[in-house]
Amino acid sequence: MNGLKKIKISAVSPPFSGHLYPLMELLLPLLNSGMYEITVYTGMQKEKAVTDTGLNCKIILKDKPSALENIANTLKQTNMLTMYKQFRDNIKMIPQIMNELEEEFKKDRPDIVIADFVAIPAGLVCNKMKIPWITSIPTVFAIENKTTTPGYLGGLYPRKGFLYQIRDAIGRFAVRSAKKILAFLAVKKLKLNNFKLYNEKNEETIFSPYSILGLGMKELEFRDDFPEHFVWAGYPVPTFDKNIYPLIDVSNFRKTVFVTNGTHVLWGKKGLVEIVKKLSNIYPDICFIVSLGDYGNKEKEIKKVYENMFIYHYIDYAVIFPKSDYIIHHGGTGVLYNCIKYNKPSVVIPHDYDQFDYAVRIILSDVGIIANLKSEKSVIKAVEKMLNRSEWKNLEKIHNKFEEYPYDKILKDEIRRILQV
């Protein structure tokens, strides 16, 4: 491999745990091999999390320490207006991000760049500087459909029949039209005159033309119309984030249920706590442990609500999942794949973003039970069904498949293929 010369990798991700952490987990085996020099570019609030693993870290937008982190945090459920505001806030930062990345890449001279799928400026800079790059994407259905049921339309189920073919075609047209409008606004604002949203293969240019690493399992996906250079890599569940927590003694309880709705859905925290209060009264012999996903306040004291209900501001999945029997969650990528890895049945309550599309995949693969956020009865009934169910054959089957994805080897193979080393 070029003699003793290390391959230099620059990795770019927003400072969101669901994007950054699986990318870091993907990179760590390469770092430990001693054959690669790796630098991670992200937001300031995740600098320590990166450097604690031994990875080099460089901060994007150092003069705006919370700008990136705050974009995805929502005080109310997203709609077209809030999505437009998020897009507008993103657009404002792109020129500065591109300038910073270009300057850093000129100094570091990476052999290859790995960019999270929402780190679009990284791809634009790579194209400009002619640096080969790889897209890492945990939410694989964000890639535009060519022939199948589209995502981000409230959770459409794949169906057979002419009427559903029409529905899907209209849905794909709606998604593509929305992207074209956003791209037009971005190009106009940023004066990216040479930017084209689609290439000659009619594929999106915001994803790498070299390699797209799908951080997930094909067993959970009904789509098959991905680009030719798309590769299933498996999901790199983060194992490095294991802080020491004063864990609650659950030995006196029949079962333990961990409850979370992730980090970004701020508007859903209060409602989640209220429903868990009701559940803890219905099941006094079960311990409910709630995480508010507030990483910045993870050192704060644990709150004891009832004898069988405790609230953490934040707790690492790698710590709590092995201690739990069941999970109640929102349907985010990371928590879903933790359920798969640790073979934990779950009740899924979709809140926002891509969670409704994940709910479809969870039902089709039978790895969890879906509840309606707007119906307290639905949640209580789903939890009862989960607790009373004795067999989870499909969950067990997909759990056993989880370890069959050697994501580190797949990444190494893709790097070698692209760089021809």
Side-chain angles (χ1 to χ4, degrees):
M1 189 180 290
N2 293 339
L4 298 175
K5 182 177 179 261
K6 291 184 178 181
I7 290 177
K8 298 184 72 172
I9 300 173
S10 290
V12 185
S13 173
F16 313 148
S17 299
H19 294 249
L20 176 63
Y21 285 3
L23 179 57
M24 289 166 59
E25 189 72 26
L26 184 69
L27 294 169
L28 283 173
L30 274 66
L31 177 69
N32 295 334
S33 74
M35 299 161 65
Y36 302 84
E37 183 180 325
I38 305 172
T39 300
V40 175
Y41 293 81
T42 190
M44 183 176 289
Q45 292 183 15
K46 285 292 191 284
E47 182 177 17
K48 187 176 186 301
V50 175
T51 56
D52 281 352
T53 65
L55 290 162
N56 295 324
C57 184
K58 291 192 176 180
I59 302 305
I60 302 170
L61 300 182
K62 211 166 194 175
D63 60 328
K64 301 172 184 175
S66 299
L68 289 169
E69 284 85 346
N70 291 339
I71 284 179
N73 294 333
T74 53
L75 296 174
K76 58 183 179 179
Q77 190 170 19
T78 57
N79 52 38
M80 290 302 293
L81 179 60
T82 55
M83 289 175 70
Y84 172 73
K85 287 180 178 177
Q86 286 180 330
F87 169 75
R88 182 192 62 194
D89 292 341
N90 270 296
I91 287 293
K92 289 178 182 177
M93 292 186 287
I94 284 178
Q96 184 177 345
I97 294 173
M98 288 182 66
N99 288 336
E100 290 185 15
L101 287 176
E102 186 170 351
E103 287 301 312
E104 290 296 335
F105 289 173
K106 284 178 180 177
K107 288 188 290 185
D108 288 349
R109 297 191 176 279
D111 296 301
I112 195 164
V113 171
I114 303 172
D116 179 80
F117 76 109
V118 300
I120 295 173
L124 295 174
V125 172
C126 286
N127 289 339
K128 179 181 178 182
M129 298 181 68
K130 301 191 183 323
I131 302 171
W133 58 293
I134 296 173
T135 295
S136 67
I137 179 166
T139 312
V140 297
F141 48 80
I143 300 172
E144 198 170 298
N145 303 66
K146 294 180 180 178
T147 59
T148 53
T149 303
Y152 289 91
L153 293 174
L156 297 180
Y157 284 79
R159 305 290 190 199
K160 293 182 179 179
F162 181 67
L163 290 178
Y164 289 108
Q165 288 179 351
I166 294 175
R167 178 204 68 176
D168 290 347
I170 293 172
R172 291 193 298 270
F173 175 78
V175 170
R176 175 164 284 216
S177 298
K179 287 184 177 180
K180 284 182 175 179
I181 291 170
L182 293 177
F184 172 78
L185 293 173
V187 168
K188 186 177 179 182
K189 180 77 173 176
L190 301 175
K191 298 179 181 178
L192 300 171
N193 298 324
N194 296 323
F195 177 80
K196 292 182 180 179
L197 185 57
Y198 301 97
N199 60 22
E200 63 280 358
K201 294 182 179 179
N202 207 25
E203 294 171 348
E204 297 165 279
T205 58
I206 59 174
F207 304 122
S208 168
Y210 299 89
S211 175
I212 301 174
L213 281 187
L215 303 188
M217 300 173 65
K218 63 182 179 181
E219 287 80 7
L220 289 178
E221 182 55 59
F222 58 79
R223 281 186 58 184
D224 58 3
D225 57 343
F226 294 105
E228 287 183 358
H229 55 290
F230 175 90
V231 181
W232 286 105
Y235 190 83
V237 168
T239 57
F240 55 82
D241 194 19
K242 289 184 180 179
N243 290 295
I244 298 173
Y245 293 91
L247 287 175
I248 301 303
D249 180 10
V250 297
S251 59
N252 293 327
F253 296 99
R254 178 168 64 91
K255 296 290 182 182
T256 301
V257 178
F258 173 58
V259 187
T260 178
N261 64 359
T263 302
H264 300 301
V265 189
L266 303 182
W267 59 267
K269 306 296 181 184
K270 184 178 179 181
L272 186 73
V273 170
E274 292 305 312
I275 189 62
V276 177
K277 285 182 179 178
K278 290 183 171 61
L279 289 169
S280 63
N281 286 323
I282 295 171
Y283 300 103
D285 59 341
I286 292 178
C287 182
F288 292 87
I289 298 176
V290 181
S291 171
L292 299 179
D294 185 2
Y295 186 83
N297 288 309
K298 64 181 179 180
E299 305 296 338
K300 281 193 174 181
E301 187 177 352
I302 302 163
K303 181 179 179 182
K304 181 178 180 180
V305 182
Y306 301 124
E307 289 299 319
N308 64 328
M309 179 181 172
F310 302 88
I311 298 177
Y312 285 76
H313 283 271
Y314 182 91
I315 189 168
D316 304 327
Y317 289 166
V319 172
I320 193 61
F321 264 76
K323 305 289 185 182
S324 303
D325 299 292
Y326 300 97
I327 314 296
I328 299 174
H329 65 92
H330 55 300
T333 314
V335 69
L336 169 59
Y337 278 106
N338 270 274
C339 288
I340 300 296
K341 175 179 178 176
Y342 292 103
N343 197 21
K344 304 297 181 181
S346 60
V347 164
V348 182
I349 313 170
H351 283 61
D352 216 336
Y353 298 113
D354 53 6
Q355 295 155 23
F356 301 99
D357 294 296
Y358 272 120
V360 172
R361 287 151 177 84
I362 288 165
I363 289 175
L364 292 178
S365 56
D366 192 28
V367 296
I369 299 168
I370 306 301
N372 186 344
L373 177 65
K374 297 179 181 179
S375 170
E376 186 179 285
K377 288 183 179 179
S378 170
V379 176
I380 292 172
K381 186 176 179 180
V383 171
E384 180 185 13
K385 187 177 179 181
M386 176 180 68
L387 295 173
N388 291 332
R389 181 168 168 176
S390 59
E391 287 188 337
W392 295 82
K393 290 183 179 179
N394 269 20
L395 173 60
E396 180 78 24
K397 182 179 177 181
I398 294 176
H399 161 73
N400 290 333
K401 283 277 186 181
F402 182 86
E403 299 296 341
E404 294 183 13
Y405 287 87
Y407 55 82
D408 55 330
K409 180 181 182 301
I410 292 169
L411 176 57
K412 289 177 184 177
D413 288 346
E414 286 297 280
I415 291 173
R416 289 182 183 127
R417 177 183 65 80
I418 293 168
L419 298 182
Q420 298 183 337
V421 295

